[in-house]
Amino acid sequence: MDATAINDSGAGRDAASISIENVGKVYPDGTVAVGDISFEVPAGELVVLIGPSGSGKSTLLRMLNRLIEPSKGTIRIDGADIAAQDPTELRRQIGYVIQNVGLFPHQTIRTNVGTVPHLLGWKKKRIRDRSDELLELVGLDPTRYGARYPHELSGGQRQRVGVARALAADPVVLLMDEPFSAVDPIVRGRLQEEFLRLQAAVRKTIVLVTHDIDEAVRLGDRIVVLGENGHLLQYAPPPELLSRPATDAVRDFVGADRGIRRLTVTPVRTAMRPIGQDADVDRFPTVDISASLYDALAEMLTADALNVAVTEKGIPVGTVSRSALFEAPKRDTVPTGS
């Protein structure tokens, strides 16, 4: 099955846009958890919330499924004001993945994945089929793992089950609160790679919280940087964020090595120029057109070359010079919020 499951009425379901308009959260003691924030999340994109501890990342995330009610502002999912919806029904349309997964220890993996479909009244066979489909999608053989219990799985495997469970009822939005932080760095890298593959397949609207700038840059289509008292400091795609930090606070947060990070998330085609008549491309090291600028730099350094040839299906289609690698990309026309 592809990205959208079929519900009981026979209709397919797609990802949904999220609109956050002047949203804030102030607690009774006067603590400002989230300031006046506005930004849009396009349908099917992955937006990362990042910032120092206490910047309101998790609070903002939980306001999207009304686990926390905002003090002000409006949140719309697919154009509908979530404040006008029943909270329980709203949450059944939104997948939620937390750091420690929260699987039910006395239920099998297959039963855990089918939790929300069971609450929605799906038939047993349909729940089993959907659970097995999603276990396979996240890289766990259902015939091997479906009848096991959470304690019989590794931390990385349990995290995959958590993602499968969150996707089981084909939600229009997926919320993820530091989903990979509880596993070791090697497993974390593998989970991130698997998650990118999964997102390419399902294209859900995802809002993900992390403390890790490298994770944000690797996973996010766009990144929200929050500062003290939950103020929005910048909202931009990773290449723009890394090349043009909006404030000193953002510059400090993304780090002094942001230039190298930018290369890892910028496609080589953005710096490509046409092949000139005199260009001796046959002697240039090569990179595929799907590569990043970081890949191009690595090839140049390995070959001690000033240029690389960019190929598509093995045929040179352009070149990239070393000097072009470090030119700042053109500013993206993404709204920066407020």
Side-chain angles (χ1 to χ4, degrees), residues 11 20 23-24 29 69 73-74 81 90 121 171 225 270 283 295 297 300:
I20 296 170
V23 168
D29 64 358
E69 296 288 352
T74 304
D81 186 349
L90 172 71
V225 183
T270 62
R283 296 187 179 182
D295 298 324
L297 177 61
M300 290 181 197

Side-chain angles (χ1 to χ4, degrees), residues 310-338:
V310 180
T311 62
E312 186 169 13
K313 297 180 179 178
I315 300 172
V317 293
T319 63
V320 173
S321 66
R322 191 178 296 190
S323 61
L325 294 178
F326 302 102
E327 294 177 2
K330 293 180 181 179
R331 183 178 298 277
D332 196 290
T333 56
V334 173
T336 55
S338 61

Side-chain angles (χ1 to χ4, degrees), residues 34-265:
V34 175
D36 190 278
I37 286 182
S38 299
F39 63 91
E40 304 280 335
V41 180
E45 289 202 359
L46 193 160
V47 168
V48 178
L49 306 180
I50 193 165
S53 296
S55 59
K57 302 182 296 297
S58 293
T59 301
L60 179 57
L61 189 80
R62 291 169 189 162
M63 287 195 282
L64 298 180
N65 63 0
R66 296 187 61 188
L67 288 175
I68 294 177
E69 296 288 352
S71 303
K72 57 171 289 189
T74 304
I75 298 172
R76 291 186 172 87
I77 294 180
D78 206 19
D81 186 349
I82 67 170
Q85 301 177 47
D86 177 78
T88 301
E89 292 301 315
L90 172 71
R91 290 170 198 144
R92 289 177 180 174
Q93 302 174 54
I94 298 175
Y96 190 41
V97 183
I98 59 176
Q99 178 177 333
N100 293 311
V101 188
L103 300 180
F104 301 117
H106 303 301
Q107 293 184 358
T108 66
I109 297 307
R110 184 177 284 115
T111 304
N112 264 283
V113 174
T115 298
V116 175
H118 175 74
L119 293 173
L120 293 174
W122 290 18
K123 293 179 180 179
K124 288 183 179 180
K125 183 180 185 304
R126 185 172 173 227
I127 294 174
R128 182 186 178 91
D129 289 347
R130 179 62 171 163
S131 297
D132 286 359
E133 173 196 350
L134 285 167
L135 285 173
E136 201 166 297
L137 190 64
V138 300
L140 296 173
D141 181 356
T143 60
R144 182 178 179 186
Y145 294 101
R148 294 189 183 184
Y149 290 84
H151 72 271
E152 298 178 289
L153 272 59
S154 69
Q157 289 170 335
R158 288 195 296 271
Q159 203 66 56
R160 292 184 187 206
V161 175
V163 173
R165 183 176 65 179
L167 291 171
D170 196 35
V172 294
V173 169
L174 181 61
L175 307 180
M176 308 185 76
D177 196 351
E178 300 198 62
F180 310 128
S181 63
V183 294
D184 66 72
I186 293 176
V187 173
R188 186 174 188 170
R190 291 173 182 166
L191 284 173
Q192 290 169 352
E193 194 65 35
E194 283 295 307
F195 185 67
L196 286 171
R197 178 193 61 78
L198 181 64
Q199 172 63 349
V202 302
R203 294 310 302 178
K204 291 297 180 184
T205 305
I206 299 173
V207 182
L208 182 148
V209 167
T210 183
H211 282 90
D212 186 342
I213 184 63
D214 289 319
E215 182 168 86
V217 166
R218 184 179 189 187
L219 298 181
D221 294 305
R222 307 172 195 238
I223 298 174
V224 173
V225 183
L226 299 175
E228 284 187 27
N229 298 323
H231 291 296
L232 194 155
L233 301 179
Q234 190 166 358
Y235 180 40
E240 181 179 335
L241 178 73
L242 295 170
S243 62
R244 296 187 179 90
T247 67
D248 289 342
V250 175
R251 184 175 294 105
D252 291 342
F253 190 79
V254 299
D257 56 350
R258 62 184 182 277
I260 296 298
R261 287 195 178 104
R262 180 180 68 82
L263 296 181
T264 67
V265 295

